[in-house]
Amino acid sequence: MLLSEMSKEQLEKFKAETQAEYDGYKEKGLSLNMERGKPSSAQLDLAMKMLAAVNSYDADYKASDGTDCRNYGGLDGIIDAKNLFSPMLGVSNDELIICGNSSLNIMYDMIARCIIFGVDGVHKPWKDYDKIKWLCPVPGYDRHFAICESFGIEMIPVPLKEDGPDMDMIEKLVAEDDTIKGIWCVPMYSNPTGITYSDEVVKRFAALNPKAEDFRIFWDNAYCIHHLTKTPDKLLNILDECKKTGREDMVYMFASTSKITFAGGGIAVMAASKKNVDYIKSLMTIQTIGYDKINQLRHAKFFGNYEGLMAHMEKHREIIAPRFEAVLSALSKEIAPLGIGSWHNPNGGYFISFDSMDGCAKRIVALCKEAGVALTPAGAAFPYRNDPRDRNIRIAPTFPPIEEIKEAMKVFVCAVKLASAEKLLADMK
Ligand SMILES: Cc1ncc(COP(=O)(O)O)c(C=O)c1O
């Protein structure tokens, strides 16, 4: 029976029973965590042999074109790393820059460069505007929003639907306002909802006609090869689409191996039009002599080629797919029949995004915390941490062992039931 269809007496009984179950969990003194999207130890173990790739005093330290990876040079990365990652983003080697250990770092730097120098040295730097604005599909990645907030960029939330952000809204906003300079996109297995942008959405992005000529799409394809099923989603290549509309300078693509090899010890990459790459490199060369080529070589040797990389991702899938399944089955068994929440079954990525009844998310997270289950704070997936409907909760199932996930989900569904019953009863008063 749907909770919303229960009479006051039925709801009171339901609430009392749920409260008793919840008190039982509290007595257990649990300490479980589904807070951040971190790879599990088993996933990290998969990459340990990479350390043996270039690891001793007599190791081969040369790239396949003879580059000595121990020395200076090669600002945009070694050929072997380019050959490995260009198929991942579907770009040519001269559209790709192999960077350091964090894609968040390159996105931050990219915005900082635009603020200080402008997007191409022709358009005025963003610092010369009184205020600039950014479109933020919501729910989204909290650290993207933190970058905007730290630079004082005003964020405009845009609803994220099943096939991507609300394009009607985006087209209208960018056409009217030349202080809107960019948008965050996690186009495949989005953080946190897990949806992938449809072909139509990608084409509409490529056809955007922003009033600001220096408007940029930050296409953070962090999860492009993180599939959870054998029938993965497919994403249209935005750079190719932008070439067709003559707007190839409008997009910057990003990705990394943070959740493929080692988080913080991997390789981040960015891709863009040749013109953008040349300009970015002209600024990068002041900033750094080059990134860690030994680590690039280590990655290239370990994976061998793109097929090797994909085979490695299959091992990740085997480890994390059952953990997602544990969360999803608890939700569909315990929550779906009561009609007190909704979510998307993702085909990839790192998260499940749960929408409770309006006005319940903070309460659910607090109840979980009190019972020893840590979740991402409610509202974290919104600019300024403000979820206007107080309903979104991000669940991160990759890190804890499966038994812990099952235990944590018992508490979670119980908290959802309790908070929902409390809300419905309060609304009856
Ligand atoms: C969408 C998205 N982009 C970027 C990152 C961070 O990537 P990196 O470790 O390469 O900085 C994450 C990590 O959770 C993410 O979810």
Side-chain angles (χ1 to χ4, degrees):
M1 186 180 190
L2 296 180
L3 220 59
S4 60
E5 287 175 355
M6 285 187 188
S7 64
K8 191 165 182 233
E9 292 65 40
Q10 284 171 317
L11 261 180
E12 267 162 359
K13 183 164 174 283
F14 176 90
K15 184 179 159 233
E17 286 164 7
T18 312
Q19 181 75 55
E21 185 190 343
Y22 175 76
D23 292 342
Y25 293 130
K26 254 175 62 173
E27 274 166 24
K28 285 187 171 182
L30 300 169
S31 174
L32 307 168
N33 193 314
M34 293 204 293
E35 195 169 353
R36 283 228 79 95
K38 298 200 294 189
S40 59
S41 309
Q43 289 171 270
L44 299 170
D45 288 347
L46 295 173
M48 285 307 284
K49 283 201 177 138
M50 184 176 77
L51 298 178
V54 191
N55 87 325
S56 67
Y57 67 90
D58 57 354
D60 178 9
Y61 46 76
K62 290 213 166 118
S64 58
D65 64 356
T67 299
D68 185 337
C69 293
R70 302 169 305 176
N71 217 332
Y72 286 135
L75 180 66
D76 54 354
I78 63 169
I79 181 73
D80 309 76
K82 288 202 169 204
N83 289 341
L84 183 63
F85 296 116
S86 52
M88 183 172 93
L89 290 179
V91 298
S92 64
N93 281 358
D94 58 4
E95 292 166 332
L96 188 66
I97 308 177
I98 312 287
C99 300
N101 69 333
S102 155
S103 60
L104 196 72
N105 186 182
I106 1 175
M107 292 179 249
Y108 181 98
D109 278 356
M110 198 62 238
I111 295 188
R113 282 186 209 110
C114 294
I115 290 175
I116 301 166
F117 302 110
V119 294
D120 52 9
V122 176
H123 292 88
K124 73 176 179 179
W126 294 347
K127 70 176 167 45
D128 293 347
Y129 290 80
D130 286 342
K131 176 191 269 187
I132 63 161
K133 301 176 195 152
W134 209 267
L135 302 181
C136 299
V138 290
Y141 177 37
D142 53 349
R143 290 178 188 259
H144 283 163
F145 304 154
I147 293 178
C148 283
E149 199 172 352
S150 81
F151 283 129
I153 300 173
E154 184 185 316
M155 291 179 270
I156 304 173
V158 175
L160 184 69
K161 306 197 280 189
E162 284 285 309
D163 63 346
D166 182 335
M167 291 309 295
D168 291 339
M169 184 172 173
I170 291 172
E171 284 162 357
K172 184 167 180 299
L173 285 170
V174 299
E176 284 169 355
D177 187 345
D178 73 345
T179 66
I180 296 178
K181 296 299 187 193
I183 182 168
W184 291 118
C185 292
V186 184
M188 192 151 179
Y189 307 137
S190 99
N191 175 353
T193 69
I195 63 103
T196 296
Y197 293 10
S198 69
D199 291 359
E200 192 207 324
V201 163
V202 178
K203 283 178 197 281
R204 285 176 76 175
F205 264 113
L208 277 182
N209 198 3
K211 189 163 183 200
E213 286 174 8
D214 53 352
F215 173 83
R216 291 292 181 265
I217 300 167
F218 279 60
W219 199 252
D220 179 4
N221 214 347
Y223 299 106
C224 56
I225 57 171
H226 290 77
H227 310 303
L228 282 169
T229 76
K230 292 197 173 191
T231 49
D233 291 354
K234 288 200 167 55
L235 176 73
L236 219 51
N237 185 315
I238 182 116
L239 193 55
D240 286 350
E241 291 306 311
C242 284
K243 283 176 189 165
K244 290 182 201 161
T245 58
R247 300 191 198 284
E248 65 263 35
D249 297 335
M250 190 169 58
V251 61
Y252 302 134
M253 300 158 108
F254 306 90
S256 79
T257 68
S258 290
K259 288 165 179 167
I260 298 173
T261 53
F262 298 133
I267 295 176
V269 295
M270 81 167 286
S273 69
K274 181 77 176 53
K275 182 177 156 210
N276 277 339
V277 163
D278 287 346
Y279 178 67
I280 292 164
K281 280 183 0 189
S282 76
L283 297 177
M284 258 176 65
T285 191
I286 313 288
Q287 206 182 359
T288 176
I289 283 176
Y291 291 106
D292 180 351
K293 292 191 294 297
I294 295 280
N295 199 29
Q296 295 175 25
L297 186 62
R298 218 179 264 137
H299 279 70
K301 281 181 184 286
F302 177 59
F303 292 116
N305 52 28
Y306 185 60
E307 286 65 45
L309 179 57
M310 293 312 288
H312 186 81
M313 293 316 289
E314 177 58 21
K315 295 182 197 155
H316 279 271
R317 188 186 71 76
E318 281 165 13
I319 295 170
I320 63 174
R323 299 173 194 221
F324 276 76
E325 193 41 48
V327 172
L328 292 167
S329 75
L331 294 177
S332 61
K333 205 163 134 239
E334 300 288 337
I335 302 297
L338 298 170
I340 50 174
S342 59
W343 57 94
H344 170 83
N345 281 14
N347 283 331
Y350 258 57
F351 303 101
I352 291 163
S353 172
F354 179 80
D355 282 331
S356 66
M357 285 169 39
D358 285 12
C360 290
K362 283 201 181 98
R363 176 70 178 143
I364 294 167
V365 172
L367 283 168
C368 284
K369 189 173 175 196
E370 244 179 86
V373 175
L375 294 169
T376 314
F382 288 75
Y384 313 108
R385 294 156 294 283
N386 175 24
D387 172 2
R389 294 175 66 177
D390 183 27
R391 64 171 186 163
N392 184 255
I393 299 172
R394 188 179 81 169
I395 302 175
T398 54
F399 187 71
I402 194 145
E403 288 317 316
E404 284 189 17
I405 295 174
K406 287 183 179 160
E407 206 55 27
M409 283 311 290
K410 283 186 198 158
V411 178
F412 181 78
V413 296
C414 182
V416 174
K417 289 178 195 176
L418 189 52
S420 308
E422 287 172 356
K423 176 81 177 36
L424 286 167
L425 281 166
D427 288 350
M428 279 175 183
K429 279 183 189 144

